[in-house]
Amino acid sequence: MFRMIFIDESQRDLLRIVWKESIDDSIKTYKLNRVVYGTTCAPYLAQRVLKQLVMDDGHNYPLTASAVSSDMYMDDLLTGAADIYSAKQFKEQLIALFRGGGMQSHKWSCNCKELLANSEVYDGDVSLIIFEETKALGLLCRPQKDSLAFSVSANVDICESCKITKRSVFSTIARIFF
């Protein structure tokens, strides 16, 4: 998602890379044109771009606008629809909204194979794959079973002689991202 967001030209001086191939070469300076994963501002910029996209074009895509505002978790959209018809409309609106912002949707996952049919997908826009299991913020999603799960390993797996204590249970629970 970050690599789909352009940096304003006036701000590109703040994202520079200094490069030198060898000791004898001169120093080259590159300005980054897009948001880079790992920078402190990247998560904020990604969420702000989504908010601006909804503010600018949300009125054209009423089904999608509220979901993008409330159901996005970084670059994952976790949402649903009441029936297949509204889900298809939602999918079309989401693709159009993101396309308007210069973004492409990837890795769709759903428990309805009919929704994942390639019929209305445009040239390389999305990769429609039926995943047995996928992740969203550490949460395991199993679309075909329509279930969510956590995957944790207890501290006692490391040491067979270790006892399960309140402390080890709380430590394991704290690793689950909510």
Side-chain angles (χ1 to χ4, degrees):
M1 179 178 188
F2 299 143
R3 303 295 299 148
M4 293 184 198
I5 302 170
F6 279 100
I7 299 293
D8 187 81
E9 217 167 311
S10 66
Q11 301 298 308
R12 291 180 185 168
D13 283 331
L14 302 172
L15 290 170
R16 289 183 180 229
I17 294 176
V18 180
W19 188 261
K20 195 173 182 178
E21 286 290 331
S22 68
I23 294 173
D24 300 329
D25 287 345
S26 61
I27 296 174
K28 296 177 185 175
T29 305
Y30 298 97
K31 292 181 187 179
L32 299 173
N33 296 329
R34 296 178 186 238
V35 173
V36 180
Y37 177 79
T39 56
T40 306
C41 62
Y44 165 77
L45 291 173
Q47 294 305 304
R48 184 62 179 93
V49 164
L50 292 176
K51 183 176 182 175
Q52 190 66 46
L53 199 55
V54 169
M55 287 172 29
D56 292 348
D57 293 333
H59 61 280
N60 295 326
Y61 308 104
L63 291 175
T64 305
S66 63
V68 170
S69 295
S70 62
D71 298 345
M72 287 291 295
Y73 304 94
M74 287 313 296
D75 58 349
D76 293 327
L77 176 67
L78 303 174
T79 193
D83 55 58
I84 189 68
Y85 176 74
S86 56
K88 283 183 178 182
Q89 282 187 315
F90 179 87
K91 176 182 159 187
E92 290 170 8
Q93 287 187 19
L94 185 67
I95 290 170
L97 177 68
F98 283 172
R99 185 181 294 121
M103 298 177 166
Q104 293 179 339
S105 303
H106 295 278
K107 297 181 184 175
W108 290 73
S109 188
C110 179
N111 63 351
C112 178
K113 291 181 183 184
E114 185 181 340
L115 185 61
L116 295 177
N118 244 352
S119 58
E120 69 266 4
V121 175
Y122 303 99
D123 234 30
D125 238 358
V126 293
S127 57
L128 300 175
I129 300 167
I130 299 173
F131 292 103
E132 290 296 319
E133 188 172 274
T134 187
K135 277 187 158 186
L137 289 180
L139 188 67
L140 293 174
C141 177
R142 298 178 178 129
Q144 299 310 306
K145 295 179 181 177
D146 203 17
S147 67
L148 300 172
F150 294 105
S151 177
V152 293
S153 59
N155 292 339
V156 293
D157 291 343
I158 300 167
C159 174
E160 288 184 25
S161 63
C162 298
K163 292 183 181 181
I164 297 175
T165 63
K166 287 183 199 176
R167 183 184 191 122
S168 66
V169 170
F170 288 138
S171 174
T172 301
I173 291 170
R175 290 187 210 142
I176 300 172
F177 183 87
F178 284 100

